[in-house]
Structure formats: structure tokens, C-alpha cells
Amino acid sequence: MPCCPAFTSKRDRLAVMSTGTGAGSSTIPEEAKRSADMAVAADPDNAEAYSVLGYLDHFYFWDWESAERNVRRALEIAPNDAEIANFAGDFFIYMLNFKDGFAWEERAAELDPLHAVNFMDLSWRSLAAGRCEDALAYGDKTLEIDPAFIFVVM
């Protein structure tokens, strides 16, 4: 459908803005949700839209059940999308489902082995889980990909 790319682009920009440092309008999450809902209405198999809905439900609206439903739907539609896998890993770990969280974080790294964020996420998550050797190895991999990656250099 011709409308989906416009909704998707707007939805993604608004979702990222909604969890920033407070910049922008307080209506940004609602606008992002409306755009994602329109994208799903136009294309019920739009995995990115479901992923963004999960992101918003989790981080902004605190609707854990809806967030999980949307994340799982995104994974069902696009299990080989690295960005969706990465967010799913984040979501499951934040919800203390470490088994699924690490599995999806590792899947994201397999799918996109040149994206430093995937390995940085694995490094931080491993550190939080007390897996220090893994954390160091993933941190080294992150810096191998991008030596100036600020969130690992810290």
C-alpha cells in the first residue's frame, strides 16, 4: 500500500523522539502510536509497526501485555529482521525473561554482525547478568566493529 512507507517513517521518528531526553512535544508517543496503528491497518503484516507499538507500549504506556503481544507479533512476521530481533531482546530482558532476551539479542547479532549496537547490547546485558567474560568479549567485538562506539568506551 502506498501509505505504509510514510506512516512507517513518521512512526519510527516519533517513537525514537518519545524516549529521548524530554525534547519535543509530550504528544509525540500518542502521535507515534497513531501512525503505527495506521500502518497496521494499511498492512496487517507490517512487522516494524508492531515492533514500534511494542516499544511504545513498553517504554511509554507501560502496558506490558500489549507490549509483549506486539513484540511477539513482530517476531512472528519477521523473525529474520535484526532490528526487530534486537528490540525483542531488549524487551524480554527488561521484563526479566533472560532466556528469550539473550536468544533474541544473539539472533540480532547473527543477522547483522556489523552493527555495533547488537554487540554492545549483549555486552551490557551480559554484565548485568554477571557473565563478565561474555561482557568483555562482546565489548571487544563492539569496539572491533566501531572503535569509537561511545557506549562501550565509557
Side-chain angles (χ1 to χ4, degrees):
M1 303 236 160
C3 60
C4 291
F7 290 140
T8 299
S9 176
K10 179 180 180 185
R11 176 206 67 224
D12 291 347
R13 285 192 320 274
L14 292 169
V16 169
M17 290 169 61
S18 72
T19 57
T21 59
S25 166
S26 63
T27 64
I28 289 173
E30 289 83 5
E31 292 175 45
K33 188 168 179 63
R34 277 193 300 278
S35 290
D37 285 337
M38 286 188 274
V40 167
D43 178 5
D45 290 328
N46 186 327
E48 291 176 0
Y50 283 104
S51 184
V52 167
L53 286 168
Y55 179 90
L56 291 166
D57 285 340
H58 178 221
F59 286 107
Y60 184 78
F61 299 110
W62 295 7
D63 183 343
W64 318 129
E65 290 177 13
S66 180
E68 183 167 355
R69 210 173 24 256
N70 285 313
V71 168
R72 290 193 184 279
R73 179 66 178 133
L75 290 170
E76 178 184 311
I77 296 166
N80 296 319
D81 183 304
E83 189 172 327
I84 288 170
N86 177 269
F87 171 68
D90 293 346
F91 169 77
F92 289 121
I93 286 172
Y94 294 146
M95 298 306 295
L96 305 179
N97 178 345
F98 297 108
K99 180 179 176 241
D100 287 346
F102 275 102
W104 284 109
E105 292 285 3
E106 289 167 352
R107 181 68 178 140
E110 288 173 16
L111 292 167
D112 191 353
L114 298 179
H115 190 47
V117 168
N118 294 330
F119 293 97
M120 183 267 313
D121 280 357
L122 282 164
S123 180
W124 282 105
R125 307 304 185 250
S126 295
L127 184 63
R131 296 168 38 183
C132 297
E133 293 298 320
D134 290 342
L136 289 171
Y138 287 129
D140 288 345
K141 180 66 176 174
T142 304
L143 293 174
E144 178 184 312
I145 295 166
D146 183 354
F149 198 80
I150 189 69
F151 295 110
V152 174
V153 174
M154 299 186 328

